[in-house]
Amino acid sequence: NAGVTQTPKFRVLKTGQSMTLLCAQDMNHEYMYWYRQDPGMGLRLIHYSVGEGTTAKGEVPDGYNVSRLKKQNFLLGLESAAPSQTSVYFCASKEMRISYNEQFFGPGTRLTVL
Amino acid sequence: AQSVTQLDSHVSVSEGTPVLLRCNYSSSYSPSLFWYVQHPNKGLQLLLKYTSAATLVKGINGFEAEFKKSETSFHLTKPSAHMSDAAEYFCVVSGLSGNTPLVFGKGTRLSVIA
């Protein structure tokens, strides 16, 4: 049981390049989330998904796209990377029970855009 | 709308002395509240959670927090700090609705002095 895993762990991009971050969970959770963490800002929600085939915007969605084609995977895409997207990205997942709101986090992906 | 305010961006204590990390929340309905810890270059780990059961919540590593509705607070405490407690701590709020995303505070960095 690996929990939540993220690929890659580190990446350096040049401005304008594209990339996809992969999040995978093996806990059969319905909900999945992508956050970015910047110094002094806490974690901010980029996009989230409440089930396979569904996605929704979070607090800071601009410049990102997501897809949830399989229940266990949640992809975060950057079509044209910008230096402002330099950050640490965390994926999280949560089961559907209303009374249980704990999210489980992956180890993070550190992205640098030059 | 929900929000979280962590009242101190940095707290420094001596090893063996008490720890107090302060958090105030705002929520239009009965919230779920969490404290997460992040050690340097690591992911987020759940310390404890409040979900409308007992107002005094005990977590891992000797931490506890008390939910005070009248003060809209959820402060984190520990009787005696250990060097390994040095980390970033996040107070987090979420509604009881299953698909409500988490809202993070900006974090409090705890330093422990030998």
Side-chain angles (χ1 to χ4, degrees):
Chain A
N1 191 339
V4 180
T5 58
Q6 293 182 231
T7 309
K9 289 185 170 51
F10 303 93
R11 186 72 186 269
V12 178
L13 291 179
K14 295 180 180 178
T15 297
Q17 288 185 317
S18 64
M19 78 163 293
T20 300
L21 281 66
L22 170 64
C23 175
Q25 53 95 4
D26 60 3
M27 297 174 282
N28 202 36
H29 286 172
E30 287 292 332
Y31 301 144
M32 296 186 75
Y33 309 83
W34 275 108
Y35 297 88
R36 59 177 289 171
Q37 183 181 29
D38 302 293
M41 299 293 292
L43 273 72
R44 293 180 292 169
L45 183 65
I46 305 171
H47 286 281
Y48 64 102
S49 168
V50 299
E52 183 178 324
T54 72
T55 62
K57 293 181 180 180
E59 180 185 355
V60 288
D62 294 341
Y64 304 95
N65 57 75
V66 288
S67 64
R68 183 99 181 268
L69 299 180
K70 295 182 179 181
K71 184 177 182 179
Q72 63 268 33
N73 295 338
F74 194 30
L75 304 177
L76 178 71
L78 287 73
E79 290 187 348
S80 179
S84 61
Q85 293 177 305
T86 294
S87 188
V88 181
Y89 292 86
F90 287 98
C91 176
S93 71
K94 185 176 78 71
E95 63 177 279
M96 201 166 102
R97 279 185 291 166
I98 290 174
S99 60
Y100 197 76
N101 222 4
E102 176 185 349
Q103 292 186 10
F104 294 82
F105 285 84
T109 295
R110 188 174 296 273
L111 175 65
T112 302
V113 183
L114 302 175
Chain B
Q2 297 162 287
S3 66
V4 169
T5 302
Q6 293 185 241
L7 299 168
D8 307 290
S9 59
H10 182 214
V11 170
S12 183
V13 300
S14 297
E15 190 175 21
T17 64
V19 175
L20 171 64
L21 305 183
R22 299 182 295 165
C23 172
N24 287 348
Y25 71 91
S26 173
S27 177
S28 54
Y29 41 83
S30 184
S32 295
L33 291 158
F34 308 82
W35 277 98
Y36 281 86
V37 61
Q38 184 181 31
H39 288 92
N41 299 312
K42 299 291 186 183
L44 285 87
Q45 179 184 19
L46 180 68
L47 270 182
L48 49 83
K49 60 181 182 281
Y50 166 78
T51 54
S52 74
T55 56
L56 182 62
V57 181
K58 293 188 184 300
I60 62 172
N61 300 334
F63 285 94
E64 63 181 39
E66 186 172 8
F67 174 72
K68 292 187 176 180
K69 187 176 180 179
S70 60
E71 299 176 9
T72 61
S73 69
F74 190 57
H75 300 335
L76 181 70
T77 60
K78 183 174 180 178
S80 176
H82 191 271
M83 296 298 290
S84 60
D85 295 327
E88 187 94 17
Y89 292 80
F90 294 96
C91 183
V92 182
V93 66
S94 174
L96 286 179
S97 172
N99 63 354
T100 305
L102 299 180
V103 175
F104 281 74
K106 294 185 177 181
T108 298
R109 183 164 60 90
L110 176 65
S111 298
V112 182
I113 303 167

